[in-house]
């Protein structure tokens, strides 16, 4: 059995990464936009359309909010693994950053190379997307003009 393991440190808080990662039906919008072009959720199974035309059906195995880990398995689509199990996890890292861990076990071994390419490309998109979301302003610009103060009475 082939195992593909990818870890990267992301400049975003683990809770922010988990908020995106745990949104199982919105990977095309929140996690890997452009790399994944559409996701359709039906019960515990999502149909994922990749930009290269690959379609996979992925069944949710576990969504663990405490461990900030999602696990899924491919059960159909363009790929035909005899076994596929993957997990993604957001782990706290020094300085408020996140260690993003993506692990996939797959059979037959011949699928390891194309899946490793997906993981490599997907990881780059994940880093860009999550870091961009983390740096987006969330309130008034602290460098902008100060609000007018009330006049003294």
């Amino acid at each position: 059995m082939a195992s593909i393991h990818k870890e990267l440190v992301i400049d975003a808080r683990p809770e922010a990464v988990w908020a995106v990662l745990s949104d199982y039906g919105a990977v095309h919008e929140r996690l890997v936009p452009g790399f994944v072009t559409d996701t359709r959720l039906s019960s515990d199974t999502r149909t994922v359309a990749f930009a290269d035309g690959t379609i996979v059906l992925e069944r949710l195995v576990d969504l663990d909010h405490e461990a900030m880990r999602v696990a899924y398995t491919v059960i159909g689509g363009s790929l035909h693994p005899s076994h596929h199990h993957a997990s993604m996890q957001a782990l706290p890292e020094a300085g408020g950053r996140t260690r993003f861990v993506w692990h996939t076990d797959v059979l037959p071994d011949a699928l390891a190379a194309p899946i490793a390419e997906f993981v490599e490309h997907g990881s780059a998109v994940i880093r860009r997307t999550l870091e961009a979301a983390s740096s987006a302003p969330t309130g008034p610009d602290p460098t902008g003009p100060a609000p007018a103060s009330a006049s003294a009475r």
Side-chain angles (χ1 to χ4, degrees):
M1 181 177 320
S3 289
I4 300 140
H5 188 82
K6 180 74 176 179
E7 291 189 26
L8 53 146
V9 176
I10 297 174
D11 287 326
R13 301 200 59 75
E15 299 79 13
V17 171
W18 177 243
V20 172
L21 190 56
S22 65
D23 195 352
Y24 190 72
V27 294
H28 65 297
E29 296 171 330
R30 300 188 66 198
L31 188 64
V32 283
F35 180 62
V36 170
T37 58
D38 191 32
T39 306
R40 298 192 188 256
L41 189 60
S42 176
S43 185
D44 66 348
T45 302
R46 65 185 176 191
T47 302
V48 181
F50 290 85
D52 71 353
T54 301
I55 305 286
V56 295
L57 277 68
E58 299 174 338
R59 178 171 292 141
L60 180 65
V61 174
D62 187 35
L63 189 64
D64 186 334
H65 292 286
E66 191 172 315
M68 291 190 284
R69 178 181 173 272
V70 60
Y72 59 94
T73 184
V74 171
I75 59 168
S78 304
L79 299 177
H80 300 286
S82 58
H83 175 82
H84 175 283
H85 182 269
S87 65
M88 296 176 168
Q89 189 168 18
L91 299 169
E93 185 73 21
R97 300 183 319 162
T98 301
R99 177 166 302 278
F100 184 87
V101 179
W102 189 355
H103 188 87
T104 305
D105 293 323
V106 65
L107 283 173
D109 290 345
L111 286 177
I115 289 176
E117 282 184 39
F118 270 60
V119 168
E120 197 61 36
H121 186 175
S123 294
V125 175
I126 288 167
R127 179 189 303 247
R128 281 193 308 271
T129 302
L130 294 175
E131 288 181 351
S134 177
S135 65
T138 57
D141 182 355
T143 62
S149 59
S151 52
R153 293 185 188 207

